[in-house]
Amino acid sequence: MTADATPVAAKKVSPNAPTEETVLEVKHYTDRLFRFRLTRPSSFRFRSGEFVMIGLYKDDGRPLLRAYSIASPSWDEELEFYSIKVPDGPLTSRLQAIQPGDKVLLGKKPTGTLVHDALVPGKRLYCFSTGTGFAPFASVVRDPETYEKFDEVIVTHTCREAAELDYSKEIVEETLNHEFLGELAQGKLRRYGSCTREDYEYKGRITDLIESGKLFEDLGVPPLNPETDRVMICGSMEMIQDVKDLMLKAGLTEGSNASPAQFVIEKAFAG
């Protein structure tokens, strides 16, 4: 047998290797924030509130992946993500330039703790978020199960500037006016947006608003109660720790997928 006729071994592809999905839509909100939508593989399953690895190929052909919360609900035929733009960020410096038709890598194993399964039953659900930490809650508030499990859903979103709150405002308004979600969410879903650097309907850090009681006063609801209130927390690591401390102080117990309780945090997220 000649050298030219020597069989070539087929390249092995890991069953866990990311898939290449097509960018369907991109919307920029500020010079720091944007959202984008991708095609969703028919085999891709996730629970609303989970995150997955997404990314791009580097110049050397190797994948560069980061954990991103899935902003679309589990029933959506497309996948939505909400991202910060970091000028010198290895991934986001390139990801922010994507256009419809481009390819983005999508991991195959979504996971996370910001899911209903990690909470015991309650009456009121709080989703505390800062920055792009709102992303998993864009998924949670668009999930019909949320309104089957809770009588009231309060999502808070705190950013430095007013324009950075546009995404959460858009998502909540769309949900309340949605053809089938609206009927479930009306009278249950409420959004509480606050700014730390500009004037807005509400002003201040969410930790200060919780600790002072102003949040509950503004909403016309009682203080946190372990018997009735359930909490999901997502934002910067500092914010997560500070809000976690306030939850523990209020008597709530931290839960997980393996041991559901009264509040959960997303350890994999920072933004």
Side-chain angles (χ1 to χ4, degrees):
M1 183 180 288
T2 65
D4 289 342
T6 303
V8 177
K11 185 178 179 181
K12 290 185 178 180
V13 178
S14 168
N16 296 321
T19 57
E20 289 189 47
E21 300 307 320
T22 304
V23 178
L24 300 172
E25 180 187 343
V26 182
K27 180 175 180 178
H28 295 268
Y29 289 86
T30 71
D31 59 0
R32 296 182 66 250
L33 298 165
F34 71 110
R35 73 166 170 86
F36 55 97
R37 293 180 71 84
L38 306 177
T39 52
R40 176 179 177 175
S42 58
S43 60
F44 188 81
R45 297 287 182 269
F46 70 97
R47 296 175 297 173
S48 296
E50 289 189 316
F51 67 88
V52 70
M53 303 299 287
I54 66 169
L56 299 168
Y57 282 118
K58 296 191 288 187
D59 292 337
D60 62 7
R62 291 184 298 171
L64 174 62
L65 302 167
R66 294 288 186 270
Y68 267 73
S69 292
I70 304 170
S72 47
S74 58
W75 54 263
D76 200 327
E77 294 180 356
E78 299 173 359
L79 295 173
E80 183 171 303
F81 297 91
Y82 185 51
S83 178
I84 193 169
K85 306 176 190 178
V86 181
D88 56 352
L91 178 59
T92 58
S93 61
R94 296 171 56 204
L95 194 62
Q96 63 183 289
I98 58 173
Q99 300 289 334
D102 290 346
K103 299 293 184 180
V104 171
L105 300 175
L106 174 72
K108 291 183 177 177
K109 293 187 174 181
T111 188
T113 53
L114 299 178
V115 293
H116 293 308
D117 294 344
L119 293 173
V120 292
K123 292 185 178 180
R124 183 182 295 111
L125 175 65
Y126 284 98
C127 298
F128 293 125
S129 69
T130 56
T132 51
F134 175 77
F137 304 141
S139 177
V140 171
V141 302
R142 289 187 281 183
D143 189 328
E145 184 182 356
T146 301
Y147 305 101
E148 294 169 5
K149 288 183 174 290
F150 297 97
D151 297 333
E152 189 170 16
V153 179
I154 296 171
V155 58
T156 79
H157 191 203
T158 302
C159 294
R160 296 181 304 176
E161 301 167 4
E164 296 174 340
L165 293 165
D166 286 351
Y167 179 65
S168 62
K169 184 178 180 181
E170 177 182 284
I171 293 296
V172 170
E173 288 180 351
E174 283 182 4
T175 302
L176 291 170
N177 293 304
H178 192 273
E179 57 182 338
F180 71 84
L181 277 176
E183 187 175 340
L184 299 173
Q186 286 289 345
K188 288 190 173 186
L189 176 60
R190 304 172 69 184
R191 172 184 170 275
Y192 185 98
S194 69
C195 272
T196 57
R197 293 188 182 179
E198 291 184 352
D199 288 332
Y200 199 68
E201 183 178 7
Y202 302 110
K203 193 168 183 178
R205 290 162 51 91
I206 190 60
T207 45
D208 294 336
L209 294 165
I210 294 172
E211 197 163 23
S212 68
K214 188 176 188 307
L215 170 71
F216 311 108
E217 182 182 334
D218 289 339
L219 291 168
V221 296
L224 289 168
N225 182 342
E227 296 299 316
T228 57
D229 296 327
R230 303 295 173 258
V231 177
M232 295 179 173
I233 308 165
C234 196
S236 67
M237 294 308 295
E238 180 184 8
M239 173 269 191
I240 288 173
Q241 185 59 53
D242 289 347
V243 177
K244 174 181 175 178
D245 290 343
L246 290 173
M247 298 305 104
L248 294 171
K249 185 178 178 182
L252 279 70
T253 303
E254 184 176 358
S256 66
N257 281 289
S259 181
Q262 296 154 335
F263 79 90
V264 287
I265 64 175
E266 189 51 84
K267 297 181 176 70
F269 184 88

